Amino acid sequence: MKVSIIVIGDELLLGQVTDTNSGEIARHIAPYGWEVEDVQTVGDEAHEITRAINRAFELSDVVLTTGGLGPTKDDITKQVLRDYFGGELKEDPEVLANVMDVVGRRGFKINKLTAAQAIVPTSCRVIQNRVGTAPIMWFEKDGRVLVSMPGVPFETREMFQSEVFPQLRKRFKSNVDIEHAVLMVTDYTESALAEKIAPWEEALPAYLHLAYLPKPGLIRLRIDGAHHDKEFITSEVRRAASELHDMLGNAVIATEDLTPAQILLKACEAKGMTLTTAESCTGGNIAHEITLIPGSSAVFTGGIVSYSNEVKMRLLGVNGETLAANGAVSIPVVEEMARGALSATGADIAVATSGIAGPDGGSAEKPVGTVCMAVATADGRCSSMVGKFPGNRGRVIDASTTKVLIMAVKHLRGE
């Protein structure tokens, strides 16, 4: 099934807000065999929105819009949809009750503008927005469907995944079964990986497809299969994933679609080990990635952000002579940081980073993007390396976070 998306709002065209909704939708629907055919970004102009809807319906039977549903005068999507699909704008008592409930749970009193969110076109079917005040509106015309959703990314993600997409799948049923498998691969660039598996990929049957989804330090390989025989395609996807896993060996660090932090937490949990962090240049980003995961408290004891040398010495026990002889960005220092974190927290495994995220502070010997990383375990083992990461400050922090988390997984596997 092909889907067209229309992202609405002047703030998007001005660059004040970045569209994340279309990507979120595309990622969610892809495993089910649905595809985004087209994405349009338009401002809060009636004729532009109408023109976008006409174009979208020329391309697909399902159109999703996000944005333009706020309570202010510049949000005109509701009126445009009323004109397009017919009917009149009326207050819906059920929508008003939902809006009042949402506002009440946030500790606010409802005002006239917010109450006006309950005025909706009579030509739509409302899906109550449990996490926001803008109702989701479902329109049908000539066998085609348009669903209008709020622009707030959290609201769109929550309601699309839990309500809108399940209803779309019921409305547009398919006799084709979709199966997929995921391998998380490291130690390869995208081009080197493609070259490695080229003969295998070229031999894939037409009902199987391989997608490369790279990010710095990690590549997600997704095998998608489509066939009317569920048992057959399930078996074929598993066979292909097994073959690919055998080819890549230890470069596969997970056979689920997980973040590096999730992979490490699962590995620690399987071994009954606790985890801690000692961070300098990453500034707590490793701990942040870990604590984003529900249930991480069962494994993660805590972390120390030791940005200054004084904190490295006082809280992590880094030797002043080690710092003086090698500098903060060095293997000896980062190894002492990791061991010090184990001592300070009583955890079983520690990861540590110390580097130069930039844009300043680099030298010919240690240029910007140089990050020393270490992993230490309570049994006395310690692994370390120096990474060279290109890009701006944020990219260096993200890339080194990914790398040290993967290092820890490999350390636990004895690699």
Side-chain angles (χ1 to χ4, degrees), residues 3-301:
V3 172
S4 290
I5 299 174
I6 304 171
V7 186
I8 302 168
D10 289 339
E11 65 277 10
L12 293 155
L13 295 177
L14 294 172
Q16 297 171 339
V17 174
T18 300
D19 167 38
T20 60
N21 287 329
S22 58
E24 189 76 40
I25 290 168
R27 285 188 294 273
H28 185 73
I29 68 177
Y32 299 91
W34 289 49
E35 298 178 12
V36 173
E37 177 74 11
D38 185 59
V39 178
Q40 301 176 73
T41 302
V42 298
D44 295 300
E45 296 286 343
H47 69 281
E48 294 292 342
I49 298 172
T50 301
R51 185 167 64 179
I53 294 172
N54 287 331
R55 170 183 162 81
F57 273 138
E58 288 176 0
L59 297 171
S60 56
D61 290 334
V62 176
V63 175
L64 304 173
T65 73
T66 69
L69 299 180
T72 55
K73 290 181 179 180
D74 60 328
D75 291 310
I76 62 169
T77 301
K78 192 184 297 182
Q79 290 83 353
V80 173
L81 293 174
R82 183 274 315 272
D83 293 341
Y84 194 94
F85 289 97
E88 56 183 316
L89 291 171
K90 281 190 174 182
E91 183 180 281
D92 185 314
E94 292 184 6
V95 176
L96 180 59
N98 183 73
V99 170
M100 293 179 69
D101 179 63
V102 170
V103 171
R105 281 189 275 116
R106 294 176 178 175
F108 296 109
K109 291 183 179 180
I110 194 167
N111 56 38
K112 290 183 179 179
L113 285 177
T114 305
Q117 295 281 55
I119 299 174
V120 296
T122 55
S123 51
C124 79
R125 174 171 65 85
V126 172
I127 298 175
Q128 300 294 354
N129 183 354
R130 301 187 311 273
V131 293
T133 60
I136 295 162
M137 298 174 291
W138 178 296
F139 297 87
E140 293 205 30
K141 186 176 184 179
D142 301 327
R144 299 174 298 178
V145 171
L146 182 148
V147 183
S148 176
M149 298 179 289
V152 180
F154 165 72
E155 295 181 28
T156 298
R157 179 175 65 251
E158 177 70 22
M159 295 307 299
F160 181 76
Q161 294 182 9
S162 65
E163 296 287 345
V164 174
F165 190 53
Q167 292 188 36
L168 285 171
R169 291 184 68 202
K170 288 181 181 178
R171 173 65 178 78
F172 297 94
K173 293 181 179 179
S174 172
N175 61 355
V176 175
D177 190 77
I178 306 295
E179 298 294 333
H180 67 277
V182 171
L183 278 71
M184 307 300 289
V185 180
T186 187
D187 298 334
Y188 283 94
T189 63
E190 186 178 5
S191 58
L193 180 58
E195 189 175 73
K196 166 79 173 176
I197 64 176
W200 176 88
E201 186 176 3
E202 290 168 2
L204 282 176
Y207 49 77
L208 294 179
H209 175 261
L210 180 68
Y212 295 76
L213 305 164
K215 63 177 294 185
L218 193 64
I219 299 173
R220 179 160 53 110
L221 291 180
R222 192 185 68 226
I223 303 169
D224 295 313
H227 201 273
H228 66 273
D229 187 327
K230 179 178 176 60
E231 184 176 342
F232 171 79
I233 198 60
T234 299
S235 174
E236 283 293 279
V237 168
R238 288 176 180 171
R239 175 189 61 78
S242 178
E243 291 176 353
L244 198 52
H245 197 168
D246 290 343
M247 290 176 60
L248 299 174
N250 289 339
V252 178
I253 63 167
T255 54
E256 299 176 80
D257 190 357
L258 302 172
T259 65
Q262 288 173 315
I263 297 168
L264 178 56
L265 284 183
K266 286 174 72 72
C268 288
E269 198 168 22
K271 291 179 175 290
M273 299 176 70
T274 52
L275 169 68
T276 186
T277 58
E279 303 184 59
S280 185
C281 66
T282 49
N285 192 58
I286 302 170
H288 170 69
E289 289 295 317
I290 292 168
T291 55
L292 281 175
I293 303 164
S296 56
S297 59
V299 171
F300 187 58
T301 62

